[in-house]
Each structure stands twice: as structure tokens, then as C-alpha cells.
Amino acid sequence: MTTADYDQASLPDLLPLYYRRLFPFSQYHRWLNYGGVTKNYFQNREFSFTLKDDIYVRYQSFSTQNELEKEMQKMNPYKIDIGAVYSHRPNQHNTVKSGSFQALEKELVFDIDMTDYDDVRSCCSGADICPKCWTLMTIAIRILDRALRDDFGFRHCLWVYSGRRGVHCWVCDEAARKLSVVARSAVAEYLSLVKGGDETVRKVVLSDPIHPFITESLTVVERYFSQYALLGQDILGSKEAVDKVLALLPEDILFLCYFQTEKNPEMRWDTLRSMAQDKRTTAKKGHYFEMEIMLQYCYPRLDVNVSKGVNHLLKSPFSVHPKTGRISVPIDLRELDRFDPFEVPTISLICEELDQPKTEEEQEDTMENENKKEAGERRKMRDYKRTSLAKYVKLFDNFLEGMAHSRKGEVLKNSQKHFPPPECQNETFDRPMYQCL
Amino acid sequence: TKYGSERKRKKLIGNSQTEQLYGHCLQFYGQPPIENISLSEFETFAVDRLKLLKTVENLGVSYVKTSELYTKKLDAEFSNLNFPYKIEQHQDISLEVKKRRKDHISHFILRLAYCQTEDLRRWFIQQEIDLFRYRFNHLPSKNIREFLQYNNLHYHTISIDKKKNLMDKLVTSSFAVSGSTVDCQDFYKVPFQDALDLVRTRKVYLNGGYVYIPHQDIVTIVLNDFRTRLSKALALTARSLPAVQSDERLQPLLNHLSHAYVGQDYSIQKSIGKISLEQIDPLSAKSYPLCMRQLHRGLRDSHHLRHGGRMQYGLFLKGIGLTLDQALQFWRSEFVKGKVDADKFDKAYAYSIRHMFGKEGKRTDYTPYSCMKVILSNPPSQGDQHGCPFRHSDPELLKQKLQSYKVSPSGISQILELVKGMHYQLACQKYFELTHSVRTDSGFSLNHPNQYFMESQKLLGGPGAGVKVEVKREDNPATKPPNPSPHQTPGPGNLPQEVAAEITEDLDSFFQDA
């Protein structure tokens, strides 16, 4: 009900409306400008547009927010991708001596795609998703966000719904943006536990010692495993499903016998676990196959290639997904378990909402803001505020506030004459407003 | 000589400077040398370091790097070539300083030679890293601390309390860290960007963007730092290279170094005329290295080879003992089967074959290409047959080719592993071992296609075995055909001007194609 019927054919009509009255240009520019700390950071950023009829244009760049707006309103792109900050303006790259035009910085990004889990989900496959398998994304976000924060010390991670079947993460810390290709690949490898393609049966292999990262990740998986895997995906239900699980076990685990006598999936799993624990105490090496199973069925699968490249282009937040019409909105990690991809507003919905009369509440709000901004800005603010897009823009605002706060903290720190030794430096300056669990 | 972007200034090296530069056994090579040295010391230093690096490469693939055998052999090489490697209690400090000076200067000379292409840089960095790692690991801990301090690597250690708190995490993060490691060793807090290898493989405790590393592992960090510095420095060096190359004394020497190998050049053969043309086909199957086998096959199949292939194969044939007349006959008979008639052959191709034998033009006797030259210069493009198959062929095609030559599957895997590690000459050596059913000892270091041929013929008792002539090109620039004397050794400063000019011309021939 909350999503008006979306039809891809109506995009040519909806996009102009979206870009003229709803797209949060001010926040978008604020983000990519990063406080204006580095000269030409926004100007040297590459954007790419996919236009109607699949026409693809790269190396777009803009001098100001206004220029960006005008261009987007003129071209009405179906898709927008964000690339790297280059050494020169991307739209002038042909004038630069070959070899000098280099990608310098970009956010560290991750792309989690549901199709990469096809071998372990029974409810859907391919581009389809449903509330049952969406839990995989929840698990992925929790595990990766924790690791990026606690292990790597990154504080500004923007999680975004891709619009169809996955999520993206944009790590915006300065240190992250400056990472080299090698460093990005190392981070991605650290976060990878599920390895192998179609020919690999056992995709997770654990051995002593179990690294704290794995322990932490397992803690997250365990919270969801029973509900998601045992009940939702029914991985120990049918003989077919059990066979798949058995394929991951060493041959001498005689689980099949129990399969006949015990029908309750949670009981079956408990039995499996205790068999694993028994084996561990008797055998010389650690046998972690019950952990391996949990991880193979639930642990995030990331595409290292997306994260590695400094010049890699990734779908922009707030761009539309042409096939579903859904807007790529930020995800609120405080409400992660309640996030429903099917409730994410579509472009048709929010365009429709634009025409609806304002409620009283909104009228009060706008009168307050009348005094603060110029007419055009006012109207724009009013516009998205009365659509379902509002809460997502607010989320984005919080995220940007958090980064601005950090930048202030950095300036203060640098102006101090005496640095406290590294031991004592706890994160006292920054209170991320965009919080996560 | 002065080089790089350093201005040509004379500077007296006082004791204080020596103390500063050479006060430590190991260095990051941050500062270029700024003294005068003679041309011959320049060359000797560079060649010796090249030998050292090649030894590092060979030993590194043949032996486990922590094994006793590896250590013994590498130490022996350090000793022979007079490079510093360990700190002894009562050593003569002036001898040690000499070694360190040689180490310092030779490194910078090789930078000039190895900065020019991606391949050269990669090779150089890899060997220098292995060399550095070896020497660092043999430093006593007191010297390690000094080294870190001296080089501004301010990696802070964490307090004992903090260590206690983190004990569990530290022990479960790394196989190598036990409770006693945590108790007994200092742990350093290092930004994760400086320890990417440990992060990538998840072999370390990572928290808040820092990894916690025991003292015993600090070498990895230091190595990363070294690699980064060297990489940047090489890029910078490459930019100032045109200025250096314009110095005519240095240009031929530097070019020579980056293509040099250490061994015979096969320009003189005692087995001239001992091979008949009918023997070439069977010889190509039995004793040719893969590159030449491929070229020969290509020639037989299409009755033609392009220029790069003609040079590589033609010079090889000269090296195995074909006379000029035989060569002319060989090429003509093959080309004529193709699209070239006898007349055209005589007009267009015969000249270049005579040129190869030194009978035309500059009348310089060209030398057959070494492995280095084949691997590093003139990569083949579509339609070419030359180059080194281990370097230039697609691994799948290489595998198929080896299968067709009946190399065992396990042998093929070993070869492909070596190729993956970019050890092309060692891959060829493995190919030699497999096709001859022998094991070569560590003294056999494959550097030249003609060496391959000769060794093979020796094993098989064939006509191409010839007699080894010790003509070491680098050390004996003064010895040129027609009459080589096997026992000439260079001394410092015995390079008169005329000889220098000869070297220039001779080395130029490496790069001129007919």
C-alpha cells in the first residue's frame, strides 16, 4: 500500500520531477565536499550517468552544486554512479597528458549482493528477495559494521539499500578515502571468510587459533541462526537440504541416523553441535565444522573487486533503481532489524505524495523555516519533507553532522601544541550521531 | 662519477660523515652517495651486487628461507663478494665500513639500471626486500631497536597492563603468539596501513585501526616501509634518468647491467661446424630450450619468421656452432618453401644473416641473446614467435604445449608454480630437468639459451657440447674476439679510453637489430 505502483515506462515523467523537487542536492553536495578541506575535492570527483536507452556517459564532473543540479535536471539520468576524486577534473581528462590523470581518493566501499548467496538460500534465487532471506543482509551489516568500527577504527560508515537485492557501504573517513588499492584489498580479505565458487563445496575452513574477528562474527550469526536458518530456511528440514549440510561435514559424523529419529530442526542442530564438540575434545586438531556451517550459510559475501579499486564506480545514494523504482536510501542502523526493503519508497510513490495536500504539522514546520532560507530552498525543503523520503534525508543529515563534528575535532586536535601519547587517545572528540549497534 | 639528480660536486668524506652513513650495518638507502668513484669501481660494485641479488633469487626458490642451508650459502656469497651481513664482536671497523660503503653505492647504481621498466623495478624490489629481510633477521635485538629509532619508526609499545588486558585476544589472533610471548616480549601498536600483509591474512590482533605486534614480528612492518620507500624512490629515479643517461660513460654500462647476466656469452664456439643441418630437427626436440623449440617449430610450420624471431633464433644457431654458409642454406631452404623465392631471399634476408655473423656493416660479431635479454626486451605481439614462453605465453597455452611435449602433470604444475612466481629461468631449468630426467644441482644456474643447449648436449653426449670458454663479459671488457685469453682478470682502473670506446660499441650491438 505504501508503494504506489511503479512502472519503468513512467520514468521519463517521474525523473524530471524527482530531480527538480526531491533529490537532496544540498545534502549531497555537503557530503561530497567534505567540508571543503581539500581543494577541488568536489570538482575533481567523477560521476557517471546512465541515460535513457542505456546511453552511458563517464567522466562527468561539476564545479558547483548548482552546476550539478542543472546538469542532472537537464539529463535526467536513469542511474547515477559515483567514482573517484581524480588529479584533474574528470570532464577535462582528455586534455591531460596521458599518465598524469590519476584516481587519487575515494570512499572505501562494499557491495553485498543477494545473488551471491544463491547456494545457501532456499526461498529465492537470482534477483528476487523476500523477508526471509533479507535477514542475510541484516547479518551482513551487523558483522561488517562492527568490524569496520571496532577493528579498523572507521567511524563514518553509510549503509545504503541498493534498490533491489543488496546493500552498499560507503566508508567516508579520511583515512579510508586515502587507502591504496593494496590496502583496500587487504581490508576486504580480512573481512572475507567465505571463499570459493561453484566448484567448492566447503567454502569456510577454520583452524586454530580462532581469530577474535571470527569469534565476534559468530556471535552475531548465532543471534539469528535459529530463526533464520533452522526455521526460515529450514536447512535441516528436507533430506535434500540436510544432504547439503552433510556435504560440509567430515565423513565420520554419523548424523544421518539422527535425521530419521528427530524431526525438530533445532533439536537436530543441537545434536549436530554436540557431535562437533565431542569430536573436538577427542581429536588432536580443532574441528569447527558447526561454526563453519553457520558461517557458510550466514556470513557476508563480499565482492573484493568492488572494494579494491580506487576508481571503481558505485551506484549513488538517492539514485533510483530503474527496475524496481526504489530509491537508494540510507539504512538506519538503530532500527536495523525493522528495516523492510519492500517499504522503501519508490519514485512513483514520492512523486505522488508531492501532490498531496499538506498536513497541519507540516504547515507549522514550513512557517518556521520561511525565515531561514531563500525561496527556492524553502520550497525544496517543504517538498521532500512531505514525502516518505523525508526520514531518509534526515538520516543522511545526521550522518553528515557526524562527519562535520569529526572534522572540527581534528582541527582542534591539530592546533594543540602537545599531543597526548597514543595510549591515551580514546575517541573523546567525536560522538557519531549516526549510530549503529 | 656523480649521478642521479645530485649535482656534480667534489666532497671530502670526513670521518663524521662516514660515521653517520656507515654507523649501522643495515640501512634504508635513504641518502644517495655523494663521493667520487672511478668508473671501474662503479662497474665492479654494480656487477657484484647484481651477482648477490641473483644468488638471493636462486637460493630463495631452491631453499626454505629459514633453513640452515640457505643461511650458509647466502653467508658464503656475502663473504665472497665482500658485502656486509653480520656484526661481529672484534671486527676490524675499517674493513666493515668498506663493505658498507660498497653496499650503499652498489644499491644506488643498480637503482639507475633497474628503474626503467615495470618488470625491472619489480625484480629489483623483490630481491632487495629479500636481502633486507635476511639481514634484518640476523640483527641482534639491541641493533633492531637502534635501527628503528634511527629511522624514525616510532611504533609505540603498549604498557604491561594493557598487555595483560589483551592477553586473550593477542594469543588467539596469531598462531605464533603464546602466553609467554605476551609476557616476555614488547608489543608494538602499529597503524594497520603499515602491516597490510598481517591484516590481509588475519594473523594479528586488530583494534581501532591499530595492529598489535610482538617484537619478533616487527620485521614485516619494517619491510613494508622499505618496500614503499624503494618503490617511490625508483619512480623518482626513473624521472631523472635522462640526465644520467646523457653521460656517455654511464649509458652503456647501465644498459649493460639491466640486461646482464653472469656467465658466458657464447660468442666463441669451439664446436663450429660440428653440427649438420639434418641434425637440427632432432636437436630441436632434444636439446633446445622451449623458446628456441617454439621458434624452430614456427619456422618449419610457416616457412617464415618475423624479425624478432629471426634475430633470436638466428643468433642462437650461430651460438650452437652453425657456420655462416650453413645458416644461409638453412634459412633460404626454409623461406623458399614459403612465399619467398630464392632471389628475394638473397636480396632481403641474406644480408641480415651475414650481418649477424659480423660480415656486413659494422662488422661487429653479434652475440646470442641471454635469457635476461629475451625476457626483458622486445615482448612479442600477435604473430610473433620470439620471446620466452614462460614469460610471454598464456599459462593455459604453455600448459598445453608442455602436455604435447609429454611433460608429466606434476612436472607441469611445478613449472606453472614457478611461472606464477615470475621465476621464468627457473621454470626453464625445471623444464630441462624434466625433459632430461635429471636433477640439476644448485651450481647450475640457467641464464642463456645456448647454455641450455650445451648442457643438454653434454648430458646426451652430442656434437654440440663443445668446450667451455671462460669469457666473462662483464669482467673482461678488454677481451674481444678474435683471440680470447681465458685468464684475464680486471683490476681497478685498467680501462683505457680506447677500450672504453670498444665496450660502448660492443654493448651497443645488444640493442641494434639488423
Side-chain angles (χ1 to χ4, degrees), chain B residues 118-295:
Chain B
E118 189 58 46
D119 274 347
L120 289 173
R121 284 197 289 263
R122 199 184 299 138
W123 184 86
F124 181 66
I125 291 176
Q126 186 56 54
Q127 310 324 317
E128 285 285 342
I129 285 182
D130 283 345
L131 179 63
F132 187 95
R133 183 192 292 116
Y134 180 79
R135 289 155 81 187
F136 188 89
N137 278 331
H138 287 247
L139 277 180
S141 353
K142 166 169 133 354
N143 295 84
I144 291 184
R145 259 187 278 275
E146 271 172 19
F147 178 82
L148 287 178
Q149 219 167 326
Y150 185 72
N151 286 286
N152 290 317
L153 292 172
H154 297 306
Y155 296 133
H156 300 281
T157 50
I158 58 177
S159 68
I160 296 186
D161 277 338
K162 181 103 193 235
K163 264 203 294 182
K164 273 217 192 87
N165 289 337
L166 293 178
M167 168 74 83
D168 225 5
K169 302 254 165 73
L170 293 174
V171 169
T172 50
S173 301
S174 166
F175 195 76
V177 173
S178 65
S180 65
T181 319
V182 180
D183 285 330
C184 307
Q185 288 191 32
D186 278 333
F187 269 73
Y188 295 82
K189 188 175 164 180
V190 175
F192 84 87
Q193 292 92 332
D194 290 356
L196 291 177
D197 281 334
L198 292 174
V199 170
R200 173 195 309 278
T201 51
R202 222 182 293 115
K203 290 204 168 117
V204 69
Y205 178 56
L206 171 65
N207 186 266
Y210 290 91
V211 293
Y212 292 81
I213 304 205
H215 187 81
Q216 71 197 18
D217 288 336
I218 210 70
V219 63
T220 317
I221 311 309
V222 174
L223 272 181
N224 276 343
D225 199 293
F226 182 55
R227 181 197 296 267
T228 314
R229 290 180 197 216
L230 188 53
S231 222
K232 284 200 187 127
L234 281 180
L236 275 172
T237 311
R239 267 179 241 163
S240 55
L241 206 53
V244 175
Q245 283 184 326
S246 65
D247 186 324
E248 331 159 315
R249 298 167 296 173
L250 301 183
Q251 185 203 28
L253 288 166
L254 291 178
N255 282 333
H256 178 195
L257 280 173
S258 61
H259 288 81
Y261 71 106
V262 188
Q264 311 175 44
D265 64 3
Y266 302 94
S267 57
I268 317 300
Q269 284 294 316
K270 279 243 167 133
S271 57
I272 294 181
K274 291 230 174 80
I275 299 201
S276 69
L277 292 183
E278 301 80 56
Q279 293 175 304
I280 289 188
D281 276 327
L283 279 174
S284 77
K286 281 190 297 187
S287 294
Y288 275 19
L290 200 59
C291 54
M292 300 305 170
R293 191 170 180 178
Q294 178 172 295
L295 278 163

Side-chain angles (χ1 to χ4, degrees), chain A residues 213-264:
Chain A
F213 167 77
I214 299 179
T215 313
E216 292 286 342
S217 304
L218 270 165
T219 309
V220 177
V221 171
E222 280 177 347
R223 262 166 40 204
Y224 293 89
F225 189 72
S226 185
Q227 184 65 36
Y228 164 73
L230 297 176
L231 298 173
Q233 294 293 319
D234 204 21
I235 66 171
L236 291 178
S238 66
K239 170 109 187 357
E240 202 191 322
V242 170
D243 276 341
K244 278 207 187 137
V245 175
L246 288 181
L248 305 176
L249 299 175
E251 277 153 23
D252 55 352
I253 292 288
L254 302 163
F255 182 66
L256 218 40
C257 332
Y258 289 94
F259 176 78
Q260 312 294 350
T261 55
E262 180 56 68
K263 296 292 178 198
N264 180 308

Side-chain angles (χ1 to χ4, degrees), chain A residues 58-69:
Chain A
R58 261 194 84 169
Y59 298 114
Q60 305 296 293
S61 61
F62 311 97
S63 311
T64 60
Q65 174 186 330
N66 207 38
E67 213 180 274
L68 172 73
E69 275 191 55

Side-chain angles (χ1 to χ4, degrees), chain B residues 3-18:
Chain B
Y3 38 81
S5 48
E6 295 288 301
R7 306 248 50 247
K8 293 185 194 247
R9 258 177 304 136
K10 258 202 184 166
K11 195 158 176 120
L12 281 170
I13 302 294
N15 279 333
S16 58
Q17 185 127 23
T18 324

Side-chain angles (χ1 to χ4, degrees), chain A residues 232-366:
Chain A
Q233 294 293 319
D234 204 21
I235 66 171
L236 291 178
S238 66
K239 170 109 187 357
E240 202 191 322
V242 170
D243 276 341
K244 278 207 187 137
V245 175
L246 288 181
L248 305 176
L249 299 175
E251 277 153 23
D252 55 352
I253 292 288
L254 302 163
F255 182 66
L256 218 40
C257 332
Y258 289 94
F259 176 78
Q260 312 294 350
T261 55
E262 180 56 68
K263 296 292 178 198
N264 180 308
E266 276 164 311
M267 293 301 292
R268 285 177 175 175
W269 178 249
D270 279 338
T271 308
L272 198 65
R273 281 200 106 141
S274 40
M275 286 173 113
Q277 264 142 25
D278 287 341
K279 187 123 175 124
R280 202 152 44 238
T281 48
T282 56
K284 280 195 217 144
K285 281 203 301 186
H287 287 269
Y288 298 107
F289 51 81
E290 89 279 20
M291 297 188 199
E292 288 172 354
I293 293 171
M294 287 201 282
L295 293 171
Q296 181 148 340
Y297 276 83
C298 301
Y299 185 86
R301 298 166 178 218
L302 23 110
D303 183 353
V304 176
N305 290 317
V306 169
S307 308
K308 246 176 30 181
V310 179
N311 55 3
H312 191 98
L313 290 151
L314 187 65
K315 185 160 187 287
S316 170
F318 294 104
S319 72
V320 186
H321 196 298
K323 295 227 165 62
T324 61
R326 301 215 189 261
I327 311 290
S328 283
V329 294
I331 299 175
D332 189 348
L333 262 59
R334 295 168 299 192
E335 310 273 311
L336 185 57
D337 286 315
R338 288 208 282 263
F339 179 82
D340 181 358
F342 299 100
E343 293 291 304
V344 169
T346 58
I347 187 176
S348 34
L349 174 72
I350 55 182
C351 285
E352 212 181 84
E353 287 171 334
L354 266 179
D355 294 329
Q356 282 163 11
K358 280 198 282 183
T359 63
E360 245 181 63
E361 207 179 84
E362 285 162 356
Q363 272 173 339
E364 275 175 35
D365 220 9
T366 51

